[in-house]
Amino acid sequence: MFLLVWFLLEFAFWLYIRKTWIRLRQPLKPHSLPTFEQRWKLYWNCLDTIHVENFQDWITGWFYISNSAQREHPKLNEIYRDNLAFFLSWVFWGDDLKIVQKNPSFENELNGMIYHMETTFNIQFPTGYNSHVQCIRPTMDHFEYIHRPLLFYIINFIFTHIFDYLFLERFGQFRKYGVDHNKPGVRWGYFFYIFKKRTHDYYYSWWLKKQQSFTLNDKENHHHQHLTYWYRKGRTTSTSTTTPIIFIHGIGTGLHLYMDFIRRMTTLECPLFCIELPYVSTRLVEHVPTPKETVMEIQTMLDTHGFDKAIIVGHSLGTVVAGWMATYAMNRISGLVLIDPVCFLLNYHDTAYNMLHRIPSNFAEYLIHYFASRELHINYYFNRHFHWYLNNFFIHDIVPTTTDPTLLSSFSFSPFTSTTRSMDKHPVDSKKLTLFNHMKIYLSENDVIINSKQIAKYLNKYGMKPTMMSKLNHAEYLVRPQWLQLILSDIQQFYKTSTS
């Protein structure tokens, strides 16, 4: 009898997930598109990361042969002019080529970009469209998923609550803030809402009575519409003389994957925030805040607890959120530690292809494929909400020497004062330079998501000195005590510097 009931539950859950997938796979337009000036600034910044010798790898990486079982990349001469136009229409307008061509101004810009690429890199794309070659368009492409049984999510639900109670609250003395249990679909999906609400009512009604001095009042807690976070007070009670650490996790199942890392950070005895990203934590969450909404709520979090600046530590997707803070609220950052950063060189295909289109061939790739890139809601985030131009963090922004639309879209115009495009010709903004002096970047040498060697070359070009974690794969530092300790020492150094 029990097996029959469970089978019916699993079948009902399969129908629920299937119906959800049919709804989520519909194309979703970006909440905001680049303006004319922003579009050309993006174009010149992307071009600055591409050189003649790697142009072929850059452009072919965004395409694959449609009838190839392994989704192999085509040769350069197999990419026709309309294939490139089809790709660039998504890159800069987030739409199909036919829609972009309906606007004469957009079509002129598009043709100007293609012509400029051809002349800059001394190449001629064949006219027409090659139907055997398909481009990667993460926010518009159809996407699949691998179904997980209801038991998989129940285990994660239970384990997360055990971790929250035993490790974060009892051992770590953290308290949860942000969006409360009365707003379903933000911290847990609607499917789990009834269970989440009951456990909240049963447990927190008792716990809050014992922790009144450690909580914020309801009015302060309701400032948040999107953010859920955990906060641990430091040894110093004065917020004016100390700087907190903000930790932002990556994709997976949430904070419990970082148990040892969080434990080590608590030994610093400084205020510590741990921000949750439920939409990439296998919680059936569809609610995805925009970059600006996220930054505003992080600033509200700091203001509510009385802090002006913070040291931000991000891993994997958490580095994208850190990049948003560096873009929109640089004045709130006193130190930045980026581990396995996916926020660099998103104009290259590596992250999009490896997460969404690669056919796995080894154990590490299969782990990413099953537990991350093919989980329905994580896949939904990357295919409908991961907009490259909002998430890419350029170490150096090229600002065109004119704002004249005619000149900006001119086939012959170039903002560069030298063909070498060196650092001397384009000095970094003084505020960014200050931030870079308080930034540490760790790359895993054998990363299966990002191209670590290419990113290291890019960072070195602008004077950044990333640390390469030898022979490590993505997130493998979490089980390497020597690297955990080294990263912790950098965080500690930033903390001492900011509080001295």
Side-chain angles (χ1 to χ4, degrees):
M1 184 65 182
F2 173 78
L3 291 178
L4 177 61
V5 172
W6 188 260
F7 173 79
L8 293 175
L9 283 174
E10 287 286 3
F11 181 70
F13 183 68
W14 181 86
L15 290 175
Y16 168 79
I17 290 295
R18 194 73 178 175
K19 184 179 179 180
T20 302
W21 168 69
I22 293 172
R23 175 171 51 83
L24 295 181
R25 69 179 180 177
Q26 301 303 316
L28 183 66
K29 293 292 182 67
H31 53 82
S32 64
L33 287 170
T35 63
F36 178 85
E37 291 79 10
Q38 290 171 338
R39 197 157 49 242
W40 281 95
K41 183 180 178 181
L42 280 170
Y43 175 77
W44 295 120
N45 275 296
C46 289
L47 215 63
D48 191 48
T49 67
I50 304 166
H51 302 280
V52 175
E53 62 270 15
N54 68 347
F55 174 76
Q56 180 171 331
D57 292 337
W58 172 76
I59 192 63
T60 58
W62 282 104
F63 293 83
Y64 63 91
I65 300 172
S66 55
N67 60 357
S68 170
Q70 295 299 317
R71 296 194 174 176
E72 297 172 350
H73 299 299
K75 297 178 181 178
L76 184 60
N77 59 11
E78 294 178 297
I79 299 174
Y80 291 4
R81 187 180 180 89
D82 285 352
N83 292 101
L84 181 60
F86 193 77
F87 169 64
L88 293 178
S89 296
W90 167 76
V91 170
F92 294 104
W93 288 273
D95 220 327
D96 284 315
L97 176 59
K98 291 181 180 179
I99 303 299
V100 173
Q101 288 177 329
K102 289 181 179 180
N103 187 314
S105 177
F106 290 168
E107 185 177 21
N108 182 59
E109 284 184 61
L110 180 61
N111 290 331
M113 290 177 181
I114 296 174
Y115 178 83
H116 186 269
M117 284 184 184
E118 290 180 323
T119 55
T120 301
F121 299 105
N122 192 27
I123 186 174
Q124 185 70 40
F125 290 97
T127 57
Y129 182 84
N130 185 351
S131 60
H132 298 294
V133 172
Q134 187 168 341
C135 71
I136 299 172
R137 302 183 304 166
T139 57
M140 296 188 69
D141 290 339
H142 174 82
F143 69 90
E144 299 289 341
Y145 74 101
I146 298 176
H147 180 76
R148 285 137 177 81
L150 174 61
L151 182 62
F152 178 89
Y153 292 97
I154 290 177
I155 290 173
N156 185 47
F157 181 83
I158 294 173
F159 191 82
T160 299
H161 280 76
I162 293 173
F163 171 80
D164 290 350
Y165 172 67
L166 292 181
F167 179 77
L168 290 178
E169 297 190 14
R170 296 304 298 268
F171 171 76
Q173 295 298 303
F174 283 88
R175 272 291 292 124
K176 182 172 74 71
Y177 296 96
V179 177
D180 64 14
H181 69 289
N182 291 317
K183 189 172 183 181
V186 178
R187 188 167 187 254
W188 288 92
Y190 290 95
F191 186 86
F192 285 107
Y193 174 56
I194 184 171
F195 304 105
K196 177 62 184 171
K197 188 177 188 301
R198 287 180 178 178
T199 57
H200 187 286
D201 292 342
Y202 174 78
Y203 168 66
Y204 283 102
S205 59
W206 168 80
W207 178 254
L208 289 177
K209 291 178 182 178
K210 295 180 174 293
Q211 301 292 324
Q212 289 296 328
S213 62
F214 197 53
T215 61
L216 300 174
N217 62 53
D218 290 339
K219 184 177 179 180
E220 290 174 315
N221 214 28
H222 288 174
H223 284 162
H224 298 284
Q225 299 299 315
H226 313 283
L227 192 70
T228 299
Y229 63 93
W230 296 85
Y231 173 59
R232 179 182 190 271
K233 289 184 177 181
R235 181 183 300 173
T236 306
T237 56
S238 174
T239 59
S240 60
T241 59
T242 190
T243 303
I245 296 170
I246 299 177
F247 174 66
I248 312 168
H249 66 80
I251 59 175
T253 54
L255 288 170
H256 53 256
L257 293 177
Y258 301 85
M259 183 185 299
D260 188 33
F261 190 40
I262 294 173
R263 180 191 64 80
R264 290 171 185 265
M265 285 192 287
T266 60
T267 63
L268 299 179
E269 292 298 338
C270 60
L272 176 60
F273 294 94
C274 291
I275 293 177
E276 291 187 333
L277 304 179
Y279 47 90
V280 290
S281 299
T282 320
R283 296 183 181 181
L284 305 179
V285 172
E286 301 174 24
H287 179 82
V288 181
T290 67
K292 288 187 177 180
E293 287 172 341
T294 302
V295 170
M296 287 179 63
E297 297 224 344
I298 291 176
Q299 292 188 86
T300 299
M301 175 187 77
L302 290 173
D303 293 337
T304 301
H305 292 275
F307 298 108
D308 182 45
K309 294 186 176 185
I311 300 162
I312 300 182
V313 181
H315 173 247
S316 190
L317 188 67
T319 64
V320 170
V321 181
W324 297 342
M325 285 293 292
T327 300
Y328 300 115
M330 191 184 302
N331 62 315
R332 306 302 298 265
I333 301 176
S334 62
L336 201 57
V337 179
L338 306 178
I339 312 162
D340 294 335
V342 299
C343 58
F344 299 121
L345 295 185
L346 288 175
N347 53 307
Y348 280 76
H349 74 282
D350 301 281
T351 300
Y353 180 80
N354 292 338
M355 283 294 297
L356 307 177
H357 290 272
R358 179 182 58 198
I359 306 299
S361 59
N362 58 53
F363 180 71
E365 291 177 0
Y366 273 106
L367 281 178
I368 296 294
H369 185 78
Y370 183 80
F371 288 102
S373 63
R374 287 300 180 271
E375 196 277 329
L376 175 59
H377 288 80
I378 294 177
N379 206 1
Y380 165 67
Y381 167 76
F382 276 100
N383 275 284
R384 294 296 178 262
H385 292 277
F386 193 82
H387 303 292
W388 78 272
Y389 58 89
L390 294 175
N391 298 335
N392 195 81
F393 184 55
F394 288 107
I395 288 295
H396 172 255
D397 287 336
I398 293 176
V399 181
T401 55
T402 179
T403 56
D404 188 317
T406 305
L407 287 176
L408 273 174
S409 57
S410 169
F411 295 167
S412 58
F413 171 74
S414 174
F416 305 118
T417 57
S418 168
T419 56
T420 59
R421 292 177 282 186
S422 66
M423 187 71 167
D424 294 333
K425 298 296 182 180
H426 303 284
V428 177
D429 177 82
S430 58
K431 290 182 179 179
K432 261 195 173 182
L433 190 59
T434 302
L435 176 63
F436 295 162
N437 291 332
H438 296 84
M439 181 188 295
K440 288 288 185 178
I441 302 172
Y442 288 86
L443 299 168
S444 296
E445 185 179 25
N446 298 329
D447 203 308
V448 294
I449 295 180
I450 63 176
N451 189 332
S452 295
K453 293 180 177 61
Q454 190 175 64
I455 290 176
K457 183 178 179 181
Y458 166 70
L459 295 173
N460 281 314
K461 173 186 174 182
Y462 290 110
M464 306 296 295
K465 300 297 181 183
T467 300
M468 188 69 74
M469 295 185 284
S470 178
K471 300 180 180 180
L472 262 59
N473 212 318
H474 195 88
E476 194 177 342
Y477 83 98
L478 291 170
V479 293
R480 304 295 181 185
Q482 66 273 27
W483 285 110
L484 285 172
Q485 194 56 43
L486 182 60
I487 295 171
L488 190 71
S489 64
D490 282 333
I491 298 172
Q492 186 176 30
Q493 185 59 43
F494 283 148
Y495 176 68
K496 289 179 179 179
T497 303
S498 61
T499 56
S500 58

